[in-house]
Amino acid sequence: MSEVKVVAPSDLNEGYEFDAKVDGKVIKVVVPEGGVKEGEEFMVPFAAIGSTGPREFKHSLCSCCETCPCPCLWAFCCYFDVIFLGQILQRMKLNFLGQPTSEQPTSE
């Protein structure tokens, strides 16, 4: 594990944690004993490339809707298929597991 130089964003007490970006990666920084003053440089441990840990996602959860010509299509795909499946199962007189129900057909 190597060390990297970090510049304090403001006056911070020892033990305070904040995020810093190093080589495009966000790392958690813990302020050393005695605290730091704004603009002061201090060294913190930094795991080199290949380390495991949380990473940022390339795309957000709903970024697929940004390029979709009709964002409502996403809702149809995610929610309405369950409604259609329920309607089909009911008409075939099956329960949610696909097993026949014990209900007798009613005459209309």
Side-chain angles (χ1 to χ4, degrees):
M1 187 175 293
S2 60
E3 288 192 332
V4 66
K5 190 183 299 186
V6 176
V7 178
S10 62
D11 294 347
L12 302 171
N13 295 328
E14 75 177 64
Y16 183 83
E17 294 183 6
F18 66 96
D19 292 335
K21 207 169 219 181
V22 177
D23 295 334
K25 295 181 180 182
V26 177
I27 63 168
K28 178 109 18 214
V29 175
V30 179
V31 176
E33 290 182 22
V36 292
K37 299 287 183 195
E38 182 176 359
E40 182 180 341
E41 295 180 347
F42 60 100
M43 301 298 284
V44 294
F46 175 67
I49 296 174
S51 65
T52 58
R55 299 182 310 190
E56 292 183 27
F57 288 102
K58 183 176 179 182
H59 302 285
S60 67
L61 180 62
C62 295
S63 64
C64 60
C65 295
E66 294 170 3
T67 58
C68 184
C70 180
C72 60
L73 289 176
W74 184 81
F76 282 116
C77 294
C78 291
Y79 302 115
F80 294 123
D81 64 332
V82 178
I83 294 171
F84 295 135
L85 179 61
Q87 187 70 194
I88 291 168
L89 289 173
Q90 182 180 15
R91 290 183 184 199
M92 294 180 67
K93 301 198 182 340
L94 300 173
N95 64 14
F96 69 97
L97 296 174
Q99 302 166 339
T101 60
S102 58
E103 293 180 16
Q104 296 297 325
T106 57
S107 59
E108 296 181 24

